[in-house]
Amino acid sequence: SRMIRRRVYSVLIFSLFFVTPVLSADNLYDGFRKPPMSARPIVRWNWDANSPGEREIARQLDAFKKAGFGGVEISPGEDVNAQLFKFATDAAKQRGMIVDLSLGLTLDGPFLSPAEQGQQIAIGKKQFAGPTNSVVNVNELIKVSDPNQKLMFLRLVPTGLRSFKPGEELIDKIRPDGSVAIDINDANSYTLYAGVLHRGTSATGAAALDLLNKQAVEKYLNNTSAKLGPALGEAGKLGNSVHSIVCPPVELSAANWTSDFTQYFFKRCGYDIKPYLPVVLDDDFPNAKTRFYDTIRRTRYDFYATLAEIYRENFTRTFQNFCRDNGVLSCIPTGPVDILDSCSVPSDIIQGYASADRFSHNAWDKIASSAAHLADKSLVAGEAITAVSDNLESL
């Protein structure tokens, strides 16, 4: 084994000697030493309601270029000045820099009607140990701010069994004062689940877009092109000035429902999701090596796979078609769904996304770039928010 190790070490040492002269003349190596503008880091530029003037736009672009950046990703805000945006894209082009258009941190807007807002089922629960006779006020189980909330289920599920049983639906037994009687005659443990459907809002309090509603997505994107397109040139196409449109990361669990989800799920998976829904949505349900948990785990996989499929068909493909119609590349972060599945969607640029509770941006970007390679995607982008502990070298 010592002889084998010596031979391996020798190969590695000689390889190091031979690598340098070969790569010094290689275009790829030269590209790393002096990257083209298209491969340099770009800076997210948030304009919000305070769009910079022409003089300040030119000054900042000069500063970005001098620092080695290849372009900017402008997040123009709701009240964007289209003429200033056009000035910025022209000024960037004169400097050999690219301009990406960011749709912002969240997809929202005051122009969205209630029917175009995202929907979510929020759950509340109360546990019981049998036998017992109790009275519960349903209104105390869960509270959401949407005045048009709808109670989707009130189900008493036996959660102390080794195998899953759907339990009893109690919506029809709710009294006029909002209370319901809980009668348990055995010694098992039970959980009462209340599920309320409500409409989502973003962190700013604005109406959040229903990403599972194709018509709502089309309206949202057309609103963007209507604000910027006429100022950007021929036929109002964004692609005359914009390199790509960057979609914000989407967390599907924050918008987990759409009006035809039940029918879509049954068609795709062949069984009814409703009896399983309370426990599937209970992210705190304890992980145990039982047939009960195995059933929920498998059903939860079907649930989120269906959700991702609806998202891909109604949002991602709609977004891609919009970008192609406008002559720009599309860029969608790969965080919301399985990484390889994300690369199968028709996005021109695969973007890694740092999930603070799971991966650093280094690991996530490596996964994204590897998956993009397997999916034959040629453009990969990474993203990170720099802080005191970060620097460009680490990126």
Side-chain angles (χ1 to χ4, degrees):
S1 62
R2 284 198 299 270
M3 185 179 296
I4 292 173
R5 283 200 296 271
R6 279 199 202 100
R7 288 177 179 173
V8 171
Y9 295 155
S10 298
V11 170
L12 292 176
I13 291 170
F14 281 114
S15 295
L16 291 174
F17 279 116
F18 283 108
V19 161
T20 302
V22 172
L23 290 181
S24 62
D26 183 75
N27 289 335
L28 183 62
Y29 179 71
D30 290 340
F32 272 98
R33 292 182 61 196
K34 190 176 180 180
M37 297 298 277
S38 60
R40 294 183 180 221
I42 67 174
V43 182
R44 177 166 293 148
W45 199 359
N46 294 314
W47 285 13
D48 299 323
N50 299 313
S51 301
E54 292 184 359
R55 186 175 179 179
E56 180 63 12
I57 289 172
R59 188 195 70 80
Q60 292 197 34
L61 285 174
D62 286 335
F64 290 146
K65 183 176 181 180
K66 184 177 179 180
F69 292 98
V72 291
E73 179 189 305
I74 299 179
S75 181
E78 178 65 27
D79 299 322
V80 60
N81 184 315
Q83 294 301 326
L84 279 179
F85 185 85
K86 174 70 162 84
F87 176 85
T89 59
D90 289 344
K93 188 179 296 184
Q94 292 169 4
R95 291 160 175 77
M97 305 170 75
I98 66 170
V99 173
D100 287 345
L101 171 62
S102 171
L103 294 182
L105 297 178
T106 55
L107 295 172
D108 57 15
F111 55 87
L112 293 172
S113 69
E116 295 161 344
Q117 287 182 248
Q119 301 178 78
Q120 179 184 12
I121 298 179
I123 65 167
K125 60 184 179 179
K126 184 176 179 63
Q127 296 176 331
F128 299 89
T132 185
N133 299 107
S134 305
V135 175
V136 176
N137 191 309
V138 179
N139 297 323
E140 295 177 358
L141 280 179
I142 186 167
K143 296 179 180 179
V144 295
S145 58
D146 184 2
N148 298 313
Q149 60 180 274
K150 175 186 177 183
L151 186 64
M152 295 287 286
F153 54 78
L154 183 66
R155 186 173 289 269
L156 185 65
V157 180
T159 47
L161 305 180
R162 291 190 59 83
S163 58
F164 175 79
K165 290 187 177 180
E168 181 183 6
E169 178 56 60
L170 301 178
I171 282 184
D172 293 339
K173 297 184 178 181
I174 299 176
R175 300 166 180 169
D177 63 354
S179 65
V180 63
I182 305 298
D183 298 317
I184 299 174
N185 299 318
D186 56 52
N188 291 314
S189 58
Y190 286 75
T191 302
L192 178 65
Y193 287 99
V196 174
L197 182 68
H198 64 103
R199 300 199 179 276
T201 57
S202 67
T204 63
L209 173 65
D210 184 358
L211 303 173
L212 309 179
N213 181 334
K214 183 177 180 179
Q215 288 72 32
V217 171
E218 289 175 338
K219 175 181 176 180
Y220 185 92
L221 296 174
N222 289 334
N223 181 70
T224 300
S225 62
K227 288 189 297 184
L228 297 177
L232 296 184
E234 183 182 353
K237 286 192 175 182
L238 302 177
N240 296 318
S241 304
V242 174
H243 168 255
S244 73
I245 299 179
V246 183
C247 173
V250 175
E251 180 54 60
L252 289 182
S253 62
N256 58 26
W257 199 254
T258 188
S259 56
D260 61 347
F261 186 91
T262 303
Q263 299 92 315
Y264 194 102
F265 184 93
F266 185 85
K267 182 179 179 180
R268 182 183 185 275
C269 301
Y271 64 97
D272 188 3
I273 185 61
K274 286 183 288 187
Y276 304 89
L277 198 54
V279 188
V280 165
L281 294 176
D282 183 3
D283 293 331
D284 297 324
F285 194 85
N287 184 342
K289 294 182 178 180
T290 63
R291 284 182 293 173
F292 188 112
Y293 184 79
D294 189 55
T295 299
I296 297 306
R297 183 173 60 87
R298 293 170 184 269
T299 307
R300 185 175 288 152
Y301 174 86
D302 285 344
F303 177 83
Y304 282 104
T306 302
L307 197 63
E309 186 172 296
I310 298 174
Y311 167 78
R312 183 167 59 250
E313 290 300 320
N314 291 349
F315 178 80
T316 309
R317 295 190 187 279
T318 304
F319 175 64
Q320 170 66 19
N321 291 335
F322 171 80
C323 290
R324 287 181 176 171
D325 290 343
N326 278 274
V328 300
L329 300 178
S330 60
C331 182
I332 301 178
T334 51
V337 291
D338 176 77
I339 187 72
L340 278 171
D341 192 49
S342 296
C343 291
S344 71
V345 302
S347 177
D348 298 309
I349 303 174
I350 298 298
Q351 178 172 311
Y353 180 70
S355 176
D357 59 340
R358 296 187 63 196
F359 301 106
S360 70
H361 59 78
N362 308 72
W364 192 254
D365 289 342
K366 289 177 181 178
I367 295 170
S369 58
S370 299
H373 173 72
L374 294 174
D376 197 27
K377 301 286 185 179
S378 59
L379 296 178
V380 180
E383 175 182 343
I385 299 175
T386 56
V388 176
S389 61
D390 294 324
N391 53 59
L392 288 177
E393 185 179 83
S394 71
L395 302 185

